[in-house]
Amino acid sequence: TSILVSAMFDTQQDNWARALDKVKTIPPAQRTEDIQNFYERIYVRGTIEKAKQIAAAGNIAEARNMLISLYQDPNVKTDEKREAPHVLAKELHDRDDAIRITRELYTRGVGDSVKTGSDYAMMLLLAGHHDEEAAAVVAQIQASGRVNADNREALQNVQVYLATKQADKLRERGDYAGAWDRISRLLADRPDDTGLLLAAGRIYASSGRNKEALEYFDKAYQQDSGNIDVVRGVVQGAILAHDLDQAQTYLDKGMETDPQNPWLFYLKAQIARARGNNAGAVQALQTARSLNRQKEAADGRSAPAGDSSPTALVPGASPPPAAAPPPNPFRRSQAAPSAILPGRAVAGPTPLAVAAATSPAPPAASTGSEGPARGQAEQLQEVPR
């Protein structure tokens, strides 16, 4: 009992690995029902935290094996284990294994194929250079007839990520109407999604409609002001909308909560450069690089090479079609676009056919709108992560 109480206290302090280690000292045959239930509740989070600690100590291979075993364990049913490939890809920089294990579960039909397929598609997107393959997986899932209330959010998270990437590409080519088509249906379904709000703001800003852009950026900020990705998005968005004072306000608020975050100095450099203060920009970039290296050293790793309730449905049933999005503010004619929009079910290749076309490739450095100008990139050799 004392071990259980101590472990429960650890979880209240978010020390899941230590709590798991304590419960493991009790032999399975001697665990009461309460202890076993507690063990099962903390197993996934404790294992993931333990893997992170092992990786930080320099044993990347053991950490990788722990995460792979956790994700592949058929006895672990909780959705929390779906974090494992994200940790592999983002923190251990092992995108190849993240793609491999998610592809294997999806193509073998293990578990909920909508969720495993969504995991696979997300890993493809995170790796870069696999957007078409990820879109094919999403189309396959939509056509499967297996989307329901329990797994719909998993698919929509991937659809949002894919749609915002597609929208940014179209926006950068000046196709604002096409970019809006990519996100409008999802935005109608998820009006508070920060990724979609930021993408909408970027479309408005690039088209010169800065007032509307800033409204979208501020709404995104109000949804999740403590998220560094959101702070980054609103600062860069405000710069795009030519409101450097608002960009500085967002940055200052971010600095209050996380003053040693390398990304914040990277953003500080962008503001300085936009104001014409090149010396200040270089200084901020150097600080960002220094903090980033310190962070990598503390994490025990080196920089990689090249580098977030619906009405219940009958299980297996597809969700009802989403309401039609509002008229496209960037399109004179409101005729439906010819391209397939995210969220619309289409026929796609079989999972095996998709898998055959998606051999992982090393990711290249980001060239998205969030990156620095070429001169800044030369000063900052490692983009903060």
Side-chain angles (χ1 to χ4, degrees):
T1 303
S2 61
I3 294 177
L4 177 60
V5 172
S6 178
M8 292 177 68
F9 177 78
D10 286 333
T11 62
Q12 293 172 358
Q13 307 302 312
D14 286 332
N15 198 329
W16 301 88
R18 186 165 61 189
L20 183 61
D21 286 343
K22 288 179 179 179
V23 177
K24 282 183 175 180
T25 64
I26 306 175
Q30 298 180 21
R31 295 174 190 167
T32 65
E33 182 178 355
D34 287 342
I35 293 176
Q36 183 60 29
N37 289 339
F38 178 73
Y39 171 80
E40 292 175 357
R41 288 200 305 272
I42 68 173
Y43 174 73
V44 173
R45 295 182 69 171
T47 300
I48 291 175
E49 184 181 294
K50 188 72 172 180
K52 292 179 181 179
Q53 294 173 353
I54 291 172
N59 195 340
I60 303 298
E62 183 180 352
R64 180 174 61 244
N65 291 337
M66 287 180 65
L67 293 168
I68 292 174
S69 296
L70 174 64
Y71 187 74
Q72 293 178 331
D73 190 343
N75 295 317
V76 179
K77 307 297 185 182
T78 174
D79 280 350
E80 288 181 325
K81 77 173 186 178
R82 296 176 55 221
E83 183 185 352
H86 287 264
V87 177
L88 268 175
K90 294 181 178 180
E91 301 193 29
L92 272 64
H93 309 293
D94 186 358
R95 297 176 177 87
D96 288 357
D97 275 327
I99 291 175
R100 177 182 60 80
I101 63 174
T102 53
R103 178 178 62 225
E104 287 177 357
L105 259 63
Y106 177 52
T107 57
R108 285 163 46 200
V110 177
D112 188 322
S113 64
V114 173
K115 293 180 180 179
T116 57
S118 297
D119 290 343
Y120 176 35
M122 184 62 83
M123 292 306 107
L124 289 169
L125 291 170
L126 291 176
H129 308 293
H130 293 293
D131 290 7
E132 291 185 3
E133 295 95 328
V137 175
V138 169
Q140 171 69 27
I141 296 171
Q142 290 173 305
S144 69
R146 297 176 181 174
V147 180
N148 56 47
D150 181 61
N151 56 32
R152 179 177 14 180
E153 185 174 2
L155 176 60
Q156 281 196 335
N157 288 336
V158 181
Q159 289 176 302
V160 167
Y161 195 88
L162 177 61
T164 55
K165 290 189 72 174
Q166 293 172 332
D168 276 329
K169 289 180 180 179
L170 291 167
R171 173 183 61 83
E172 290 166 359
R173 297 206 303 260
D175 184 359
Y176 308 127
W180 190 262
D181 284 335
R182 292 300 184 199
I183 66 169
S184 59
R185 187 177 298 276
L186 287 166
L187 186 59
D189 289 342
R190 299 166 61 127
D192 297 327
D193 187 287
T194 56
L196 293 170
L197 290 168
L198 290 170
R202 290 192 294 270
I203 296 170
Y204 273 99
S206 293
S207 69
R209 298 169 65 171
N210 294 331
K211 180 178 181 297
E212 295 98 322
L214 290 167
E215 290 173 355
Y216 275 105
F217 293 139
D218 198 64
K219 184 176 180 181
Y221 181 76
Q222 299 305 326
Q223 299 301 316
D224 197 0
S225 61
N227 186 323
I228 185 63
D229 291 326
V230 173
V231 172
R232 183 176 66 181
V234 296
V235 170
Q236 293 173 327
I239 295 173
L240 188 63
H242 306 291
D243 192 337
L244 301 183
D245 290 341
Q246 185 60 55
Q248 187 67 52
T249 297
Y250 288 137
L251 179 61
D252 290 344
K253 290 179 179 177
M255 286 283 193
E256 291 175 2
T257 58
D258 194 0
Q260 297 300 305
N261 191 301
W263 256 114
L264 296 179
F265 285 90
Y266 182 68
L267 297 170
K268 181 178 181 179
Q270 290 186 318
I271 296 175
R273 182 177 180 273
R275 293 188 186 277
N277 183 2
N278 291 333
V282 170
Q283 183 179 9
L285 286 169
Q286 291 172 341
T287 303
R289 180 171 60 187
S290 176
L291 290 172
N292 196 48
R293 287 175 173 170
Q294 292 175 27
K295 180 177 182 294
E296 288 174 347
D299 289 346
R301 58 177 171 81
S302 59
D307 159 45
S308 127
S309 158
T311 304
L313 301 174
V314 177
S318 296
N328 189 323
F330 303 96
R331 188 183 300 281
R332 292 184 179 181
S333 171
Q334 294 303 323
S338 58
I340 296 169
L341 299 182
R344 183 175 301 174
V346 296
T350 64
L352 287 174
V354 172
T358 55
S359 56
S366 173
T367 58
S369 59
E370 73 279 9
R374 181 175 301 275
Q376 293 174 328
E378 293 170 354
Q379 292 290 332
L380 181 59
Q381 296 174 8
E382 301 89 13
V383 174
R385 284 172 297 279

